Amino acid sequence: MSKIIAHVEHREGLRIESLDFAYGESLILRGIDLAVQAGEFLALLGPSGSGKSTLLRLLAGLERPTSGRLTAAGDPIDGPGTERAVVFQHYALFPWMTVADNVAEAVHKAHPGLARSERRARARAHLERVGLGEAAGRYPFELSGGMQQRAAIARALALESPFLLMDEPFGALDPVNRAKLQDLLLAVWQGSSPRPTLVFVTHGIDEALLLADRVAVMGANPGRIIRDYPVPFARPRERVALYQDPGFQRLREEIAETLDADTLTRLDANPEAGFHAANQGARYV
């Protein structure tokens, strides 16, 4: 498989500078410095307890840093905003609304002046993009988990945000539906013009290397970025061919060794962490 560095666009993206975050006396994140270029797909990869989801919540404006600075397109992040769409692991659809109405609500936030008929037409178009056109009139409880997550992605796309933040969005799905939604996400992101800047939280090395332009590896206790890996594989990526590529296998092993080394360092510093930390490596798949 040929190797190229993925192209990213020359617009301002996300920037994190000297960020610390604590809950009371517990330091969760320490010394985070990270820049995400506009149009780039960044994966945040790390074990449980490394602060991946907390960092995403900070980028979403759902938490405030203890110290440091966050910006989106050069503007300070000081709270939630429609320019930063978020997709959580647990769908978060309004259960009393149909799928179409859930998405139409996001269209309304992006375009408050649109007539109701136009909002619904745009909602239907977003649902078609994720293969849910026929489910527009159904309620969330009538959908499978994979279909609910498709609806959540459609709702995020309906905001037309330049930044898309995704917190382990496929973590609760079975392997078949996870693969389908990974392919869907890539198709939608690669087909957008301009592409949104995407930050994707995962604990899976394979998922990170399949999806992302770059992987920021996080260590735990406290959370911090320990390595930053460019992903040099050409797009579009075909799963089977990629996984068989020797370059993919070498990079996968290098990232796994980085995570294992951080785990061992923490065990040496705190032997009582023991079994839980030692077995984090089993989740990096």
Side-chain angles (χ1 to χ4, degrees):
M1 180 176 291
S2 61
K3 297 186 177 183
I4 62 170
I5 298 298
H7 170 73
V8 293
E9 300 176 39
H10 296 288
R11 296 174 284 123
E12 285 198 79
L14 297 165
R15 185 171 293 276
I16 305 169
E17 298 174 332
S18 304
L19 182 139
D20 290 351
F21 179 79
Y23 283 123
E25 299 297 316
S26 298
L27 184 61
I28 309 300
L29 295 168
R30 182 183 68 196
I32 304 291
D33 287 289
L34 185 66
V36 188
Q37 297 183 58
E40 186 175 24
F41 194 134
L42 175 81
L44 291 175
L45 171 72
S48 298
S50 60
K52 307 181 301 295
S53 294
T54 299
L55 185 55
L56 197 84
R57 288 177 62 84
L58 286 157
L59 287 169
L62 300 173
E63 304 281 1
R64 301 293 294 272
T66 303
S67 62
R69 185 167 182 262
L70 304 99
T71 61
D75 297 323
I77 296 174
D78 54 12
T82 56
E83 76 281 0
R84 282 164 285 121
V86 185
V87 178
F88 297 102
Q89 182 173 343
H90 297 292
Y91 323 134
L93 299 169
F94 297 125
W96 60 89
M97 290 184 177
T98 65
V99 170
D101 286 341
N102 266 278
V103 179
E105 183 66 21
V107 174
H108 178 59
K109 288 183 179 180
H111 302 284
L114 283 182
R116 186 171 185 270
S117 59
E118 179 61 20
R119 292 200 303 269
R120 292 187 65 83
R122 293 195 184 194
R124 181 64 180 253
H126 286 296
L127 288 169
E128 294 283 357
R129 288 181 76 187
V130 300
L132 282 183
E134 297 303 314
R138 296 166 69 179
Y139 288 88
F141 69 86
E142 299 179 292
L143 305 180
S144 68
M147 292 173 76
Q148 289 188 55
Q149 195 61 297
R150 285 173 184 258
I153 292 171
R155 187 175 62 181
L157 295 173
L159 289 170
E160 299 178 17
S161 306
F163 302 100
L164 182 56
L165 310 174
M166 306 187 79
D167 188 6
E168 296 195 60
F170 312 141
L173 302 177
D174 64 85
V176 172
N177 276 305
R178 184 182 305 124
K180 288 180 179 178
L181 284 181
Q182 288 168 345
D183 292 344
L184 170 68
L185 175 61
L186 282 177
V188 170
W189 177 74
Q190 290 172 170
S192 299
S193 183
R195 291 177 180 172
T197 305
L198 204 160
V199 179
F200 186 99
V201 168
T202 180
H203 60 249
I205 298 175
D206 289 359
E207 182 171 63
L209 294 180
L210 173 68
L211 298 178
D213 296 320
R214 211 169 104 229
V215 179
V217 178
M218 298 186 68
N221 300 323
R224 67 219 183 278
I225 295 177
I226 53 178
R227 286 289 299 273
D228 195 327
Y229 291 91
V231 179
F233 307 112
R235 295 187 187 275
R237 296 172 186 163
E238 197 280 317
R239 181 179 277 99
V240 173
L242 181 67
Y243 290 175
Q244 293 175 347
D245 185 272
F248 172 89
Q249 295 169 9
R250 286 192 298 270
L251 184 54
R252 184 188 192 280
E253 184 63 26
E254 183 178 347
I255 293 173
E257 288 174 356
T258 297
L259 289 162
D260 288 345
D262 184 68
T263 297
L264 292 173
T265 298
R266 288 189 288 117
L267 282 173
D268 289 342
N270 180 18
E272 294 182 2
F275 181 82
H276 175 72
N279 282 277
Q280 287 291 342
R283 300 189 63 197
Y284 306 145
V285 293

